[in-house]
PDB file of all heavy atoms in Angstrom:
ATOM      1  N   ARG A1457      45.118  30.310  19.143  1.00  0.00           N
ATOM      2  CA  ARG A1457      44.799  31.048  17.919  1.00  0.00           C
ATOM      3  C   ARG A1457      45.344  30.383  16.661  1.00  0.00           C
ATOM      4  O   ARG A1457      45.845  31.041  15.756  1.00  0.00           O
ATOM      5  CB  ARG A1457      45.330  32.474  18.016  1.00  0.00           C
ATOM      6  CG  ARG A1457      44.696  33.214  19.160  1.00  0.00           C
ATOM      7  CD  ARG A1457      45.204  34.616  19.304  1.00  0.00           C
ATOM      8  NE  ARG A1457      44.543  35.260  20.425  1.00  0.00           N
ATOM      9  CZ  ARG A1457      44.971  35.192  21.680  1.00  0.00           C
ATOM     10  NH1 ARG A1457      46.053  34.503  21.951  1.00  0.00           N
ATOM     11  NH2 ARG A1457      44.322  35.781  22.637  1.00  0.00           N
ATOM     12  N   ALA A1458      45.255  29.056  16.609  1.00  0.00           N
ATOM     13  CA  ALA A1458      45.736  28.339  15.435  1.00  0.00           C
ATOM     14  C   ALA A1458      44.706  28.439  14.315  1.00  0.00           C
ATOM     15  O   ALA A1458      43.548  28.787  14.545  1.00  0.00           O
ATOM     16  CB  ALA A1458      45.989  26.875  15.783  1.00  0.00           C
ATOM     17  N   ASN A1459      45.140  28.137  13.123  1.00  0.00           N
ATOM     18  CA  ASN A1459      44.250  28.154  11.962  1.00  0.00           C
ATOM     19  C   ASN A1459      43.132  27.133  12.139  1.00  0.00           C
ATOM     20  O   ASN A1459      43.370  25.965  12.405  1.00  0.00           O
ATOM     21  CB  ASN A1459      45.076  27.830  10.723  1.00  0.00           C
ATOM     22  CG  ASN A1459      44.253  27.839   9.476  1.00  0.00           C
ATOM     23  OD1 ASN A1459      43.358  27.012   9.314  1.00  0.00           O
ATOM     24  ND2 ASN A1459      44.523  28.765   8.609  1.00  0.00           N
ATOM     25  N   ASN A1461      40.828  25.874   9.990  1.00  0.00           N
ATOM     26  CA  ASN A1461      40.663  24.816   8.988  1.00  0.00           C
ATOM     27  C   ASN A1461      41.637  23.675   9.243  1.00  0.00           C
ATOM     28  O   ASN A1461      41.261  22.503   9.230  1.00  0.00           O
ATOM     29  CB  ASN A1461      40.913  25.362   7.584  1.00  0.00           C
ATOM     30  CG  ASN A1461      39.867  26.358   7.178  1.00  0.00           C
ATOM     31  OD1 ASN A1461      38.746  26.338   7.677  1.00  0.00           O
ATOM     32  ND2 ASN A1461      40.229  27.262   6.288  1.00  0.00           N
ATOM     33  N   GLY A1473      40.398   8.148  13.152  1.00  0.00           N
ATOM     34  CA  GLY A1473      41.410   7.144  13.472  1.00  0.00           C
ATOM     35  C   GLY A1473      41.112   6.493  14.815  1.00  0.00           C
ATOM     36  O   GLY A1473      41.124   5.266  14.945  1.00  0.00           O
ATOM     37  N   ASN A1476      37.986   4.189  14.571  1.00  0.00           N
ATOM     38  CA  ASN A1476      38.249   2.920  13.890  1.00  0.00           C
ATOM     39  C   ASN A1476      39.224   2.054  14.672  1.00  0.00           C
ATOM     40  O   ASN A1476      39.124   0.836  14.678  1.00  0.00           O
ATOM     41  CB  ASN A1476      38.806   3.176  12.486  1.00  0.00           C
ATOM     42  CG  ASN A1476      37.701   3.651  11.561  1.00  0.00           C
ATOM     43  OD1 ASN A1476      36.520   3.421  11.823  1.00  0.00           O
ATOM     44  ND2 ASN A1476      38.086   4.324  10.498  1.00  0.00           N
ATOM     45  N   PHE A1477      40.178   2.721  15.330  1.00  0.00           N
ATOM     46  CA  PHE A1477      41.162   1.932  16.078  1.00  0.00           C
ATOM     47  C   PHE A1477      40.491   1.147  17.191  1.00  0.00           C
ATOM     48  O   PHE A1477      40.629  -0.065  17.294  1.00  0.00           O
ATOM     49  CB  PHE A1477      42.244   2.843  16.662  1.00  0.00           C
ATOM     50  CG  PHE A1477      43.176   2.106  17.570  1.00  0.00           C
ATOM     51  CD1 PHE A1477      44.171   1.305  17.033  1.00  0.00           C
ATOM     52  CD2 PHE A1477      43.034   2.173  18.943  1.00  0.00           C
ATOM     53  CE1 PHE A1477      45.015   0.589  17.861  1.00  0.00           C
ATOM     54  CE2 PHE A1477      43.872   1.460  19.778  1.00  0.00           C
ATOM     55  CZ  PHE A1477      44.872   0.668  19.241  1.00  0.00           C
ATOM     56  N   SER A1481      39.973  -2.738  17.521  1.00  0.00           N
ATOM     57  CA  SER A1481      40.930  -3.369  18.425  1.00  0.00           C
ATOM     58  C   SER A1481      40.420  -3.616  19.828  1.00  0.00           C
ATOM     59  O   SER A1481      41.089  -4.248  20.625  1.00  0.00           O
ATOM     60  CB  SER A1481      42.198  -2.506  18.525  1.00  0.00           C
ATOM     61  OG  SER A1481      42.611  -2.072  17.269  1.00  0.00           O
ATOM     62  N   ASN A1598      33.785  -0.456  11.005  1.00  0.00           N
ATOM     63  CA  ASN A1598      34.736   0.596  10.686  1.00  0.00           C
ATOM     64  C   ASN A1598      34.252   1.443   9.520  1.00  0.00           C
ATOM     65  O   ASN A1598      33.788   0.912   8.510  1.00  0.00           O
ATOM     66  CB  ASN A1598      36.105   0.000  10.371  1.00  0.00           C
ATOM     67  CG  ASN A1598      36.895  -0.180  11.646  1.00  0.00           C
ATOM     68  OD1 ASN A1598      36.428   0.203  12.721  1.00  0.00           O
ATOM     69  ND2 ASN A1598      38.071  -0.750  11.527  1.00  0.00           N
ATOM     70  N   TRP A1606      30.344  15.238   7.448  1.00  0.00           N
ATOM     71  CA  TRP A1606      30.454  16.325   6.468  1.00  0.00           C
ATOM     72  C   TRP A1606      29.072  16.769   6.009  1.00  0.00           C
ATOM     73  O   TRP A1606      28.825  17.940   5.750  1.00  0.00           O
ATOM     74  CB  TRP A1606      31.298  15.896   5.278  1.00  0.00           C
ATOM     75  CG  TRP A1606      32.700  15.555   5.644  1.00  0.00           C
ATOM     76  CD1 TRP A1606      33.308  14.330   5.568  1.00  0.00           C
ATOM     77  CD2 TRP A1606      33.695  16.450   6.147  1.00  0.00           C
ATOM     78  NE1 TRP A1606      34.592  14.419   6.007  1.00  0.00           N
ATOM     79  CE2 TRP A1606      34.865  15.698   6.362  1.00  0.00           C
ATOM     80  CE3 TRP A1606      33.705  17.816   6.459  1.00  0.00           C
ATOM     81  CZ2 TRP A1606      36.042  16.258   6.864  1.00  0.00           C
ATOM     82  CZ3 TRP A1606      34.866  18.380   6.951  1.00  0.00           C
ATOM     83  CH2 TRP A1606      36.024  17.611   7.153  1.00  0.00           C
ATOM     84  N   SER A1644      22.186   0.891 -10.559  1.00  0.00           N
ATOM     85  CA  SER A1644      22.925   1.406  -9.413  1.00  0.00           C
ATOM     86  C   SER A1644      23.451   2.804  -9.681  1.00  0.00           C
ATOM     87  O   SER A1644      23.613   3.594  -8.772  1.00  0.00           O
ATOM     88  CB  SER A1644      24.074   0.463  -9.068  1.00  0.00           C
ATOM     89  OG  SER A1644      24.861   0.225 -10.204  1.00  0.00           O
ATOM     90  N   TRP A1645      23.706   3.133 -10.954  1.00  0.00           N
ATOM     91  CA  TRP A1645      24.224   4.479 -11.205  1.00  0.00           C
ATOM     92  C   TRP A1645      23.175   5.537 -10.914  1.00  0.00           C
ATOM     93  O   TRP A1645      23.467   6.613 -10.427  1.00  0.00           O
ATOM     94  CB  TRP A1645      24.798   4.632 -12.603  1.00  0.00           C
ATOM     95  CG  TRP A1645      23.835   4.349 -13.737  1.00  0.00           C
ATOM     96  CD1 TRP A1645      23.665   3.170 -14.384  1.00  0.00           C
ATOM     97  CD2 TRP A1645      22.921   5.285 -14.329  1.00  0.00           C
ATOM     98  NE1 TRP A1645      22.701   3.281 -15.338  1.00  0.00           N
ATOM     99  CE2 TRP A1645      22.226   4.579 -15.345  1.00  0.00           C
ATOM    100  CE3 TRP A1645      22.616   6.627 -14.121  1.00  0.00           C
ATOM    101  CZ2 TRP A1645      21.248   5.189 -16.133  1.00  0.00           C
ATOM    102  CZ3 TRP A1645      21.654   7.230 -14.901  1.00  0.00           C
ATOM    103  CH2 TRP A1645      20.980   6.509 -15.894  1.00  0.00           C
ATOM    104  N   GLU A1648      23.324   6.263  -7.333  1.00  0.00           N
ATOM    105  CA  GLU A1648      24.439   7.127  -6.940  1.00  0.00           C
ATOM    106  C   GLU A1648      24.130   8.590  -7.260  1.00  0.00           C
ATOM    107  O   GLU A1648      24.559   9.496  -6.562  1.00  0.00           O
ATOM    108  CB  GLU A1648      25.734   6.698  -7.640  1.00  0.00           C
ATOM    109  CG  GLU A1648      26.162   5.268  -7.346  1.00  0.00           C
ATOM    110  CD  GLU A1648      26.499   5.041  -5.881  1.00  0.00           C
ATOM    111  OE1 GLU A1648      26.608   6.024  -5.135  1.00  0.00           O
ATOM    112  OE2 GLU A1648      26.641   3.857  -5.494  1.00  0.00           O
ATOM    113  N   CYS A1663      25.497  29.106  -2.888  1.00  0.00           N
ATOM    114  CA  CYS A1663      25.649  30.125  -3.927  1.00  0.00           C
ATOM    115  C   CYS A1663      24.483  31.116  -3.871  1.00  0.00           C
ATOM    116  O   CYS A1663      24.688  32.332  -3.959  1.00  0.00           O
ATOM    117  CB  CYS A1663      25.690  29.490  -5.306  1.00  0.00           C
ATOM    118  SG  CYS A1663      27.154  28.502  -5.555  1.00  0.00           S
ATOM    119  N   SER A1666      24.880  33.514  -1.025  1.00  0.00           N
ATOM    120  CA  SER A1666      25.931  34.513  -1.219  1.00  0.00           C
ATOM    121  C   SER A1666      25.561  35.487  -2.331  1.00  0.00           C
ATOM    122  O   SER A1666      25.972  36.641  -2.315  1.00  0.00           O
ATOM    123  CB  SER A1666      27.265  33.841  -1.526  1.00  0.00           C
ATOM    124  OG  SER A1666      27.184  33.108  -2.725  1.00  0.00           O
ATOM    125  N   GLU A1686      44.380  42.717  21.494  1.00  0.00           N
ATOM    126  CA  GLU A1686      45.321  43.815  21.301  1.00  0.00           C
ATOM    127  C   GLU A1686      45.851  43.896  19.870  1.00  0.00           C
ATOM    128  O   GLU A1686      46.920  44.422  19.621  1.00  0.00           O
ATOM    129  CB  GLU A1686      46.463  43.699  22.316  1.00  0.00           C
ATOM    130  CG  GLU A1686      45.946  43.766  23.740  1.00  0.00           C
ATOM    131  CD  GLU A1686      46.993  44.194  24.756  1.00  0.00           C
ATOM    132  OE1 GLU A1686      48.139  44.446  24.368  1.00  0.00           O
ATOM    133  OE2 GLU A1686      46.642  44.283  25.941  1.00  0.00           O
ATOM    134  N   GLU A1687      45.102  43.346  18.938  1.00  0.00           N
ATOM    135  CA  GLU A1687      45.474  43.442  17.513  1.00  0.00           C
ATOM    136  C   GLU A1687      45.484  44.910  17.105  1.00  0.00           C
ATOM    137  O   GLU A1687      44.633  45.680  17.510  1.00  0.00           O
ATOM    138  CB  GLU A1687      44.435  42.693  16.681  1.00  0.00           C
ATOM    139  CG  GLU A1687      44.877  42.329  15.284  1.00  0.00           C
ATOM    140  CD  GLU A1687      45.798  41.122  15.289  1.00  0.00           C
ATOM    141  OE1 GLU A1687      45.367  40.011  15.638  1.00  0.00           O
ATOM    142  OE2 GLU A1687      46.974  41.329  14.952  1.00  0.00           O
TER     143      GLU A1687
ATOM    144  N   HIS C 748      49.829  37.811  30.681  1.00  0.00           N
ATOM    145  CA  HIS C 748      49.337  38.776  29.726  1.00  0.00           C
ATOM    146  C   HIS C 748      50.027  38.510  28.393  1.00  0.00           C
ATOM    147  O   HIS C 748      51.237  38.384  28.318  1.00  0.00           O
ATOM    148  CB  HIS C 748      49.619  40.195  30.233  1.00  0.00           C
ATOM    149  CG  HIS C 748      49.270  41.243  29.244  1.00  0.00           C
ATOM    150  ND1 HIS C 748      50.145  42.214  28.867  1.00  0.00           N
ATOM    151  CD2 HIS C 748      48.145  41.432  28.531  1.00  0.00           C
ATOM    152  CE1 HIS C 748      49.567  42.971  27.958  1.00  0.00           C
ATOM    153  NE2 HIS C 748      48.356  42.521  27.737  1.00  0.00           N
ATOM    154  N   LYS C 751      51.760  40.479  21.229  1.00  0.00           N
ATOM    155  CA  LYS C 751      52.230  39.974  19.937  1.00  0.00           C
ATOM    156  C   LYS C 751      53.731  40.235  19.807  1.00  0.00           C
ATOM    157  O   LYS C 751      54.211  41.286  20.193  1.00  0.00           O
ATOM    158  CB  LYS C 751      51.481  40.688  18.816  1.00  0.00           C
ATOM    159  CG  LYS C 751      51.229  39.778  17.654  1.00  0.00           C
ATOM    160  CD  LYS C 751      50.181  40.341  16.725  1.00  0.00           C
ATOM    161  CE  LYS C 751      49.777  39.257  15.736  1.00  0.00           C
ATOM    162  NZ  LYS C 751      48.610  39.611  14.978  1.00  0.00           N
ATOM    163  N   PHE C 782      48.697   1.034  24.142  1.00  0.00           N
ATOM    164  CA  PHE C 782      47.771   0.246  23.320  1.00  0.00           C
ATOM    165  C   PHE C 782      48.321  -1.145  23.015  1.00  0.00           C
ATOM    166  O   PHE C 782      47.580  -2.104  22.900  1.00  0.00           O
ATOM    167  CB  PHE C 782      47.495   0.967  21.993  1.00  0.00           C
ATOM    168  CG  PHE C 782      46.570   2.151  22.140  1.00  0.00           C
ATOM    169  CD1 PHE C 782      46.399   3.044  21.104  1.00  0.00           C
ATOM    170  CD2 PHE C 782      45.881   2.368  23.318  1.00  0.00           C
ATOM    171  CE1 PHE C 782      45.552   4.134  21.236  1.00  0.00           C
ATOM    172  CE2 PHE C 782      45.034   3.451  23.464  1.00  0.00           C
ATOM    173  CZ  PHE C 782      44.872   4.335  22.423  1.00  0.00           C
ATOM    174  N   TRP C 831      40.977  29.464   0.717  1.00  0.00           N
ATOM    175  CA  TRP C 831      40.981  28.211   1.473  1.00  0.00           C
ATOM    176  C   TRP C 831      40.351  27.073   0.700  1.00  0.00           C
ATOM    177  O   TRP C 831      39.213  26.699   0.932  1.00  0.00           O
ATOM    178  CB  TRP C 831      40.336  28.414   2.838  1.00  0.00           C
ATOM    179  CG  TRP C 831      41.261  29.167   3.700  1.00  0.00           C
ATOM    180  CD1 TRP C 831      41.185  30.488   4.015  1.00  0.00           C
ATOM    181  CD2 TRP C 831      42.452  28.675   4.314  1.00  0.00           C
ATOM    182  NE1 TRP C 831      42.250  30.837   4.787  1.00  0.00           N
ATOM    183  CE2 TRP C 831      43.050  29.761   4.987  1.00  0.00           C
ATOM    184  CE3 TRP C 831      43.088  27.430   4.351  1.00  0.00           C
ATOM    185  CZ2 TRP C 831      44.231  29.641   5.696  1.00  0.00           C
ATOM    186  CZ3 TRP C 831      44.262  27.316   5.054  1.00  0.00           C
ATOM    187  CH2 TRP C 831      44.828  28.403   5.719  1.00  0.00           C
ATOM    188  N   TRP C 889      30.530  36.238  -6.519  1.00  0.00           N
ATOM    189  CA  TRP C 889      29.631  36.546  -5.398  1.00  0.00           C
ATOM    190  C   TRP C 889      30.304  36.452  -4.049  1.00  0.00           C
ATOM    191  O   TRP C 889      29.655  36.526  -3.016  1.00  0.00           O
ATOM    192  CB  TRP C 889      28.438  35.598  -5.408  1.00  0.00           C
ATOM    193  CG  TRP C 889      27.527  35.805  -6.572  1.00  0.00           C
ATOM    194  CD1 TRP C 889      27.306  36.973  -7.234  1.00  0.00           C
ATOM    195  CD2 TRP C 889      26.721  34.819  -7.213  1.00  0.00           C
ATOM    196  NE1 TRP C 889      26.419  36.773  -8.239  1.00  0.00           N
ATOM    197  CE2 TRP C 889      26.029  35.457  -8.255  1.00  0.00           C
ATOM    198  CE3 TRP C 889      26.505  33.454  -6.978  1.00  0.00           C
ATOM    199  CZ2 TRP C 889      25.145  34.778  -9.083  1.00  0.00           C
ATOM    200  CZ3 TRP C 889      25.628  32.787  -7.804  1.00  0.00           C
ATOM    201  CH2 TRP C 889      24.957  33.449  -8.851  1.00  0.00           C
ATOM    202  N   THR C 891      31.344  33.815  -2.685  1.00  0.00           N
ATOM    203  CA  THR C 891      30.825  32.617  -2.023  1.00  0.00           C
ATOM    204  C   THR C 891      31.932  31.972  -1.187  1.00  0.00           C
ATOM    205  O   THR C 891      33.057  31.860  -1.654  1.00  0.00           O
ATOM    206  CB  THR C 891      30.340  31.608  -3.074  1.00  0.00           C
ATOM    207  OG1 THR C 891      29.461  32.284  -3.962  1.00  0.00           O
ATOM    208  CG2 THR C 891      29.625  30.445  -2.433  1.00  0.00           C
ATOM    209  N   PHE C 896      32.319  25.544  -0.066  1.00  0.00           N
ATOM    210  CA  PHE C 896      32.038  25.138  -1.452  1.00  0.00           C
ATOM    211  C   PHE C 896      32.967  23.990  -1.873  1.00  0.00           C
ATOM    212  O   PHE C 896      32.517  22.940  -2.342  1.00  0.00           O
ATOM    213  CB  PHE C 896      32.227  26.343  -2.388  1.00  0.00           C
ATOM    214  CG  PHE C 896      31.581  26.198  -3.739  1.00  0.00           C
ATOM    215  CD1 PHE C 896      30.715  27.175  -4.208  1.00  0.00           C
ATOM    216  CD2 PHE C 896      31.854  25.105  -4.540  1.00  0.00           C
ATOM    217  CE1 PHE C 896      30.111  27.049  -5.450  1.00  0.00           C
ATOM    218  CE2 PHE C 896      31.266  24.985  -5.787  1.00  0.00           C
ATOM    219  CZ  PHE C 896      30.395  25.963  -6.241  1.00  0.00           C
ATOM    220  N   TYR C 902      32.627  15.690  -2.235  1.00  0.00           N
ATOM    221  CA  TYR C 902      31.661  14.597  -2.183  1.00  0.00           C
ATOM    222  C   TYR C 902      30.911  14.445  -3.492  1.00  0.00           C
ATOM    223  O   TYR C 902      30.540  13.337  -3.867  1.00  0.00           O
ATOM    224  CB  TYR C 902      30.743  14.794  -0.970  1.00  0.00           C
ATOM    225  CG  TYR C 902      31.570  14.695   0.268  1.00  0.00           C
ATOM    226  CD1 TYR C 902      32.058  15.820   0.916  1.00  0.00           C
ATOM    227  CD2 TYR C 902      31.992  13.447   0.707  1.00  0.00           C
ATOM    228  CE1 TYR C 902      32.898  15.711   2.002  1.00  0.00           C
ATOM    229  CE2 TYR C 902      32.838  13.332   1.787  1.00  0.00           C
ATOM    230  CZ  TYR C 902      33.291  14.465   2.431  1.00  0.00           C
ATOM    231  OH  TYR C 902      34.140  14.339   3.491  1.00  0.00           O
ATOM    232  N   GLN C 906      30.818  10.957  -5.627  1.00  0.00           N
ATOM    233  CA  GLN C 906      29.598  10.351  -6.157  1.00  0.00           C
ATOM    234  C   GLN C 906      29.699  10.157  -7.665  1.00  0.00           C
ATOM    235  O   GLN C 906      29.228   9.161  -8.195  1.00  0.00           O
ATOM    236  CB  GLN C 906      28.378  11.215  -5.808  1.00  0.00           C
ATOM    237  CG  GLN C 906      27.942  11.092  -4.357  1.00  0.00           C
ATOM    238  CD  GLN C 906      27.742   9.651  -3.933  1.00  0.00           C
ATOM    239  OE1 GLN C 906      27.249   8.827  -4.693  1.00  0.00           O
ATOM    240  NE2 GLN C 906      28.164   9.327  -2.725  1.00  0.00           N
ATOM    241  N   ILE C 910      29.158   6.738  -9.677  1.00  0.00           N
ATOM    242  CA  ILE C 910      28.286   6.555 -10.836  1.00  0.00           C
ATOM    243  C   ILE C 910      29.046   5.861 -11.952  1.00  0.00           C
ATOM    244  O   ILE C 910      28.599   4.855 -12.527  1.00  0.00           O
ATOM    245  CB  ILE C 910      27.751   7.928 -11.310  1.00  0.00           C
ATOM    246  CG1 ILE C 910      26.798   8.520 -10.268  1.00  0.00           C
ATOM    247  CG2 ILE C 910      27.037   7.785 -12.659  1.00  0.00           C
ATOM    248  CD1 ILE C 910      26.486   9.988 -10.500  1.00  0.00           C
ATOM    249  N   SER C 913      29.854   2.262 -11.211  1.00  0.00           N
ATOM    250  CA  SER C 913      28.725   1.333 -11.304  1.00  0.00           C
ATOM    251  C   SER C 913      28.340   1.082 -12.755  1.00  0.00           C
ATOM    252  O   SER C 913      27.721   0.076 -13.066  1.00  0.00           O
ATOM    253  CB  SER C 913      27.537   1.858 -10.494  1.00  0.00           C
ATOM    254  OG  SER C 913      27.127   3.105 -10.993  1.00  0.00           O
ATOM    255  N   ASN C1067      44.113  -2.686  14.932  1.00  0.00           N
ATOM    256  CA  ASN C1067      43.533  -2.010  13.786  1.00  0.00           C
ATOM    257  C   ASN C1067      44.525  -1.048  13.149  1.00  0.00           C
ATOM    258  O   ASN C1067      45.360  -0.452  13.821  1.00  0.00           O
ATOM    259  CB  ASN C1067      42.299  -1.239  14.246  1.00  0.00           C
ATOM    260  CG  ASN C1067      41.610  -0.586  13.095  1.00  0.00           C
ATOM    261  OD1 ASN C1067      41.937   0.542  12.762  1.00  0.00           O
ATOM    262  ND2 ASN C1067      40.705  -1.294  12.462  1.00  0.00           N
ATOM    263  N   SER C1069      44.465   1.827  12.177  1.00  0.00           N
ATOM    264  CA  SER C1069      44.224   3.266  12.285  1.00  0.00           C
ATOM    265  C   SER C1069      45.219   3.950  13.200  1.00  0.00           C
ATOM    266  O   SER C1069      45.130   5.152  13.421  1.00  0.00           O
ATOM    267  CB  SER C1069      42.814   3.521  12.798  1.00  0.00           C
ATOM    268  OG  SER C1069      41.894   2.986  11.897  1.00  0.00           O
ATOM    269  N   ILE C1070      46.170   3.198  13.738  1.00  0.00           N
ATOM    270  CA  ILE C1070      47.168   3.820  14.617  1.00  0.00           C
ATOM    271  C   ILE C1070      47.839   5.033  13.964  1.00  0.00           C
ATOM    272  O   ILE C1070      47.998   6.059  14.600  1.00  0.00           O
ATOM    273  CB  ILE C1070      48.202   2.763  15.064  1.00  0.00           C
ATOM    274  CG1 ILE C1070      47.594   1.917  16.162  1.00  0.00           C
ATOM    275  CG2 ILE C1070      49.473   3.446  15.575  1.00  0.00           C
ATOM    276  CD1 ILE C1070      48.604   1.063  16.894  1.00  0.00           C
ATOM    277  N   ILE C1083      50.693  22.457  15.275  1.00  0.00           N
ATOM    278  CA  ILE C1083      49.749  23.559  15.100  1.00  0.00           C
ATOM    279  C   ILE C1083      49.781  24.462  16.327  1.00  0.00           C
ATOM    280  O   ILE C1083      49.839  25.681  16.235  1.00  0.00           O
ATOM    281  CB  ILE C1083      48.316  23.005  14.897  1.00  0.00           C
ATOM    282  CG1 ILE C1083      48.203  22.274  13.574  1.00  0.00           C
ATOM    283  CG2 ILE C1083      47.289  24.132  14.958  1.00  0.00           C
ATOM    284  CD1 ILE C1083      46.922  21.454  13.439  1.00  0.00           C
ATOM    285  N   PHE C1087      51.754  29.249  18.063  1.00  0.00           N
ATOM    286  CA  PHE C1087      51.388  30.330  18.961  1.00  0.00           C
ATOM    287  C   PHE C1087      52.613  30.948  19.620  1.00  0.00           C
ATOM    288  O   PHE C1087      52.737  32.160  19.718  1.00  0.00           O
ATOM    289  CB  PHE C1087      50.431  29.780  20.023  1.00  0.00           C
ATOM    290  CG  PHE C1087      50.103  30.743  21.115  1.00  0.00           C
ATOM    291  CD1 PHE C1087      49.149  31.720  20.916  1.00  0.00           C
ATOM    292  CD2 PHE C1087      50.747  30.674  22.339  1.00  0.00           C
ATOM    293  CE1 PHE C1087      48.844  32.611  21.921  1.00  0.00           C
ATOM    294  CE2 PHE C1087      50.444  31.564  23.347  1.00  0.00           C
ATOM    295  CZ  PHE C1087      49.494  32.534  23.142  1.00  0.00           C
ATOM    296  N   ARG C1090      54.495  33.399  17.590  1.00  0.00           N
ATOM    297  CA  ARG C1090      53.843  34.643  17.201  1.00  0.00           C
ATOM    298  C   ARG C1090      53.526  35.545  18.387  1.00  0.00           C
ATOM    299  O   ARG C1090      53.390  36.748  18.240  1.00  0.00           O
ATOM    300  CB  ARG C1090      52.553  34.343  16.432  1.00  0.00           C
ATOM    301  CG  ARG C1090      52.815  33.837  15.018  1.00  0.00           C
ATOM    302  CD  ARG C1090      51.540  33.754  14.234  1.00  0.00           C
ATOM    303  NE  ARG C1090      50.621  32.789  14.827  1.00  0.00           N
ATOM    304  CZ  ARG C1090      49.317  32.913  14.822  1.00  0.00           C
ATOM    305  NH1 ARG C1090      48.760  33.969  14.274  1.00  0.00           N
ATOM    306  NH2 ARG C1090      48.551  31.996  15.365  1.00  0.00           N
TER     307      ARG C1090
END
Side-chain angles (χ1 to χ4, degrees):
Chain A
R1457 299 179 180 87
N1459 181 295
N1461 294 335
N1476 286 339
F1477 173 78
S1481 315
N1598 273 356
W1606 298 114
S1644 53
W1645 59 266
E1648 301 296 349
C1663 293
S1666 62
E1686 300 202 0
E1687 198 78 66
Chain C
H748 174 232
K751 215 164 191 169
F782 285 169
W831 286 103
W889 292 331
T891 309
F896 198 127
Y902 296 97
Q906 284 308 322
I910 292 167
S913 60
N1067 183 271
S1069 299
I1070 282 193
I1083 292 168
F1087 173 80
R1090 286 189 297 146

